[in-house]
Amino acid sequence: MLTLALRTLRTRWTAFTGGFVALALGVALLTVMGLALASAADAPDRAPRRFAAAPVVVRGEDTLRVPTPTGVRTAALDRPRPVPPRTVAALRALGEVTEDRSFPVRIEGGPPSLVGHPWSTAAFAPYELSAGRAPRTADEVVTTGRWAAPGDRLRTGHGTVRVVGTVTGPGVEDAVFCTDARAARLAPVSDQLVVDADPADVRRVVGDRAQVLTGDARRLADPDPGRDAAAVTALNSLFGTAGGVAAFVSVFVMASTFAFTVAQRRREFGLLRLAGATPGQVRRTVTAEALLVGVAASAAGCALGGYAAPHLAAHTVAGGLAPDWFAIGDHTWPYHAAFWTGLTVALCGVTATSWRAGRTRPAEALREASVDHGALTRGRLLAGTALLATAAGTAGWALLTDPGELLHRKTYVSRPMLLITAVALLSPLLVRPLIRLVAWPASRLPGAGGVLVRENAAAGVRRAASVAAPVLVTVALTGSLLGATATLDAAGAAEARSRTAADFVVTAPDLDEAAVRRLGAVPGTAAVSATATAAVYVVEEGVALVRSAARAADPRALAATTRLPVTSGRLTGLDDDSIVVNEEWERHTVGERIPVLLGDGTRRTLRVAAVLAIGTGDNGVYVTPANAPRAPVDRVEVTVADGADRDAVAAGLREAVRSSDARVRTAAAWLAATAPRSDGTTRLGFLLVLGIALVYAAIALAGTQVMATAGRRRELTALRLAGATAPQVLRLVAAEALTVAAVGALLGVLVAALNLLTMTGALSLLSAPSAPVLPWPALGAAAGGCALTAVVFAVLPVTRATRTTASAGRPRGRRP
């Protein structure tokens, strides 16, 4: 069997090239993914940067710990607790204490994420003066980087300042240093400080009231210390998704390629049966062929993945998708995992096909008919129906029990694969009527070309299904993935518009009470609602500690500037003893009292005043400012009184926050600026997945068309002998390929539409109705790319074949 398989591969190498390349690319991607995961797991601990020269850093507690029957549950607090004043006083007795006070700074023309610090903390990085001197008065500052120079005057939200020096340092952030006295006024509360004392003495004084950071642990006081972990998690998700899709499409392409190969070789298998080969021997021959292809492709894929992984890692670092320390390490297990996975994929892809080959009857050797019969076998019909029923059943169950599950990325990435496989298995049942539908306009034109295209394409059901399958995969994934994000973004934007009743929105990192009072005093305003970003924690089902984003606001002003989707209760019933929750909470009955933990960890038992619909997930919790300690006011919504001049009100609002770091925008402009958008990692992940699908589609289409041409030589000879010219034959073949590609695109759009309809159904049940958004430009590009590939690889082999058949059809002898 092995010798026969080797000879078959040598003589029919074109039939196996598509599967080989597809599997090699899949294994390469799995190798890259495995190497990336292994390298991320060996991530080095980041060294401290902002406090690298600090002896001891004392940081307020930033972790919430809640005991449950199954153990202690932890969550990051909304903001660290300040170090208790008594503890600070006791630490001053041990040595010099420097309080770190940080506050946001916005400067016109400056970096977007500026932060202010007292000058005394610059020595702990250390930052060193590269020009100028240290600040001495309240209107003097020192800046990092090269975006400002000594002598520049900068207009900030806290007034105009003059740059008197610049510093160089670790580059952990874009910072502005002012005098310690000015920093104390701008940031009265400090949640971390530096102590010049013995660490053991500091731990004895602090106890469990704060964190004592020394050595490498001082990195926890750097800005956003968890960004590396978040970046690696996003990177793992990116490669995991791409690897899963690669494995799925590899199996799909391998199965499709081998299925069509077996269909093309049924006379060959019939001859083997006539020569005495048993069904088992035929099955083992086909399996041996797949095994040989799998071994060679997996080895090539491992080599390609090992070469590509470092380049891809460098690209992700350069694009800001991975930390700057991320690099591919020296690991061997990813190669083993990828190789054996690729071999398993090859064998899985050929299993059903080998059984079909083994059932070939000896009489197949005598068959001359070109019309496919029995393309949809009983097993294929049962499998396709079962998968279709599973897809429908799971979607229906999710809609009835947990509609929000259908909106998660892992769900709308994986669900299309189930439906794609079901439709592909049932494609022989759908291809013929769709071909007749697509080709009907051409068949009504004068001449026999349109009718011939329709009948030829409809007669070769197996060939048509094999060509349509990769187009189906590409178009369906494009529509499902890009359409899912577009649909969710459209639903989120519509939900935000429906919630907003204000005319103007004022935003800032932190608005003080004086600025809020000035906004409320602007003539022509009807209602002014100041809201702060906060958090609330609740233990659900007795074991899960759940964090919910919260907004803190005065309930009456909030009701006048927003239209929240209240399903029960009253928004104006909110007070310091109550809370507004959404239907996603385990306990959400109006009047029920729920034990919660506030953003700083304070325990409270609050009464449910109102319940909101879940929506797209942005309908969070609402509390009063008394239950949001230290939460900064970052948004003020303003409605204009009837008859008031909107331009005058806008000018008054800008004047009210002139001395603050705030922006005044119309509600429409604010909604446009804050509209939901997919992040860079998600977009890159989907583009990578769709790129994989398009490459696999091209491979499968090229291989199928080359194999199909080899089996149509007699048909092409008959056409030439019947008087058809070479250009006519080429146009006929191109039209057939285009027709079948259009059928695959129609099936792909159908699958994408069904997936998006499931999502819109879930959104409607969550009180966020939205129409499905099909990404027509992307769908057109995917379908066009597949159609072009199908036509090119159908016409190129036929060009040579028509020349051969033309030569064979000419009578021999001397020309007259």
Side-chain angles (χ1 to χ4, degrees):
M1 292 299 107
L2 186 59
T3 302
L4 183 59
L6 285 170
R7 291 181 177 178
T8 302
L9 291 177
R10 187 173 64 248
T11 56
R12 290 183 173 270
W13 63 270
T14 56
F16 298 97
T17 300
F20 173 87
V21 176
L23 187 60
L25 288 177
V27 172
L29 188 57
L30 291 175
T31 303
V32 171
M33 182 193 69
L35 289 171
L37 293 175
S39 301
D42 293 341
D45 289 335
R46 181 183 286 272
R49 304 177 72 180
R50 185 164 172 249
F51 292 97
V56 181
V57 178
V58 177
R59 179 176 172 83
E61 188 61 53
D62 59 0
T63 302
L64 179 64
R65 294 176 174 82
V66 178
T68 68
T70 58
V72 177
R73 295 289 180 262
T74 61
L77 284 171
D78 189 38
R79 53 187 49 83
R81 298 167 180 161
V83 181
R86 290 184 179 179
T87 303
V88 176
L91 290 172
R92 292 188 188 279
L94 298 179
E96 183 180 357
V97 174
T98 304
E99 294 186 83
D100 177 38
R101 305 176 186 274
S102 301
F103 50 92
V105 179
R106 186 165 69 89
I107 295 177
E108 296 179 4
S113 300
L114 273 173
V115 62
H117 299 299
W119 173 248
S120 59
T121 63
F124 299 125
Y127 285 101
E128 297 180 356
L129 281 168
S130 58
R133 58 174 176 81
R136 298 170 184 166
T137 63
D139 64 342
E140 293 180 346
V141 297
V142 170
T143 62
T144 61
R146 298 180 179 179
W147 59 273
D152 290 350
R153 299 192 71 85
L154 307 176
R155 183 177 177 180
T156 74
H158 307 292
T160 301
V161 296
R162 182 166 57 93
V163 179
V164 296
T166 58
V167 293
T168 57
V172 66
E173 60 186 352
D174 293 314
V176 174
F177 293 94
C178 61
T179 61
D180 287 25
R182 181 174 175 83
R185 289 195 302 271
L186 296 176
V189 178
S190 172
D191 53 33
Q192 61 188 23
L193 46 88
V194 177
V195 183
D196 188 4
D198 182 78
D201 294 337
V202 174
R203 288 191 176 90
R204 176 178 51 79
V205 170
V206 170
D208 60 357
R209 295 182 295 276
Q211 304 175 78
V212 177
L213 307 177
T214 59
D216 287 343
R218 291 171 297 174
R219 71 181 184 279
L220 299 177
D222 286 341
D224 193 13
R227 64 188 182 279
D228 285 0
V232 170
T233 299
L235 195 65
N236 291 343
S237 176
L238 166 66
F239 284 108
T241 300
V245 172
F248 166 74
V249 182
S250 295
V251 173
F252 196 95
V253 170
M254 287 291 293
S256 176
T257 301
F258 271 91
F260 188 63
T261 302
V262 168
Q264 291 285 96
R265 297 166 60 190
R266 61 181 184 270
R267 295 188 65 203
E268 174 187 329
F269 292 137
L271 287 173
L272 287 175
R273 294 297 311 283
L274 280 174
T278 65
Q281 289 175 320
V282 174
R283 284 195 296 270
R284 286 194 293 274
T285 299
V286 175
T287 302
E289 294 169 358
L291 184 63
L292 292 172
V293 171
V295 169
S298 297
C302 287
L304 179 62
Y307 172 79
H311 297 282
L312 188 59
H315 181 72
T316 57
V317 171
L321 299 175
D324 53 9
W325 51 260
F326 181 73
I328 300 300
D330 185 15
H331 304 278
T332 58
W333 70 260
Y335 292 98
H336 291 282
F339 179 87
W340 294 110
T341 300
L343 193 56
T344 303
V345 163
L347 295 177
C348 290
V350 80
T351 299
T353 304
S354 65
W355 281 93
R356 181 177 178 83
R359 291 198 301 269
T360 303
R361 298 188 300 272
E364 295 286 343
L366 307 176
R367 176 173 289 180
E368 294 290 343
S370 60
V371 178
D372 287 332
H373 296 286
L376 183 63
T377 61
R378 181 179 300 176
R380 186 168 182 167
L381 177 62
L382 291 176
T385 304
L387 287 177
L388 192 62
T390 301
T394 53
W397 178 256
L399 289 173
L400 292 174
T401 57
D402 185 11
E405 178 65 23
L406 296 173
L407 307 182
H408 296 163
R409 185 170 66 175
K410 65 179 181 180
T411 302
Y412 64 71
V413 168
S414 59
R415 281 193 59 81
M417 300 180 191
L418 188 64
L419 197 54
I420 288 171
T421 307
V423 174
L425 288 173
L426 298 174
S427 59
L429 189 65
L430 306 172
V431 161
R432 185 169 286 164
L434 285 176
I435 286 175
R436 296 189 181 280
L437 176 64
V438 171
W440 181 82
S443 67
R444 310 302 294 177
L445 297 175
V451 175
L452 198 57
V453 168
R454 183 188 66 188
E455 297 305 321
N456 273 349
V461 174
R462 286 193 180 93
R463 181 178 69 246
S466 297
V467 172
V471 183
L472 159 66
V473 172
T474 306
V475 174
L477 284 177
T478 301
S480 297
L481 299 184
L482 298 184
T485 56
T487 299
L488 288 176
D489 289 346
E495 188 178 47
R497 286 194 300 270
S498 67
R499 287 198 310 258
T500 304
D503 298 300
F504 293 97
V505 179
V506 182
T507 56
D510 187 356
L511 277 173
D512 55 28
E513 294 182 5
V516 175
R517 285 196 300 270
R518 290 195 299 268
L519 288 170
V522 172
T525 57
V528 177
S529 173
T531 58
T533 299
V536 173
Y537 305 84
V538 63
V539 178
E540 294 193 347
E541 298 179 356
V543 294
L545 180 61
V546 180
R547 180 188 185 276
S548 296
R551 302 293 299 177
D554 176 79
R556 296 189 181 278
L558 183 66
T561 57
T562 59
R563 294 185 292 263
L564 295 178
V566 178
T567 59
S568 60
R570 293 180 303 108
L571 189 60
T572 54
L574 178 65
D575 56 27
D576 292 347
D577 190 46
S578 62
I579 185 173
V580 175
V581 301
N582 59 48
E583 292 177 332
E584 195 172 15
W585 279 46
E586 179 188 13
R587 300 165 65 181
H588 56 268
T589 303
V590 173
E592 184 178 11
R593 301 193 70 85
I594 304 176
V596 300
L597 296 101
L598 304 182
D600 63 350
T602 303
R603 295 180 179 272
R604 291 292 307 276
T605 300
L606 301 177
R607 173 181 51 83
V608 177
V611 179
L612 306 180
I614 297 175
T616 60
D618 199 28
N619 293 327
V621 173
Y622 286 84
V623 294
T624 60
N627 290 320
R630 298 178 59 208
V633 173
D634 55 5
R635 190 168 80 216
V636 178
E637 299 181 34
V638 181
T639 57
V640 178
D642 294 338
D645 186 349
R646 290 174 59 92
D647 293 337
V649 172
L653 295 175
R654 293 188 182 95
E655 182 63 29
V657 295
R658 184 174 298 277
S659 61
S660 302
D661 189 17
R663 296 183 62 183
V664 179
R665 288 176 287 191
T666 64
W670 174 74
L671 288 169
T674 58
R677 295 179 181 88
S678 300
D679 57 34
T681 303
T682 300
R683 286 194 298 272
L684 179 62
F686 285 168
L687 290 177
L688 179 60
V689 167
L690 297 179
I692 293 169
L694 188 58
V695 169
Y696 281 152
I699 294 169
L701 287 170
T704 301
Q705 296 289 35
V706 170
M707 287 188 290
T709 301
R712 299 182 68 184
R713 290 185 179 274
R714 293 187 179 183
E715 175 187 339
L716 298 176
T717 301
L719 284 173
R720 293 302 309 277
L721 293 176
T725 64
Q728 287 177 323
V729 173
L730 292 178
R731 286 197 296 270
L732 174 67
V733 173
E736 288 182 27
L738 193 60
T739 300
V740 178
V743 169
L746 283 177
L747 290 174
V749 171
L750 175 63
V751 170
L754 290 176
N755 279 304
L756 296 183
L757 285 173
T758 303
M759 293 186 66
T760 55
L763 288 169
S764 297
L765 292 174
L766 296 173
S767 301
S770 174
V773 180
L774 281 167
W776 291 113
L779 287 173
C786 291
L788 180 63
T789 304
V791 170
V792 168
F793 283 95
V795 169
L796 288 179
V798 172
T799 302
R800 181 178 178 183
T802 52
R803 291 173 183 169
T804 304
T805 53
S807 300
R810 280 199 303 265
R812 296 184 179 182
R814 295 190 332 177
R815 293 182 180 179

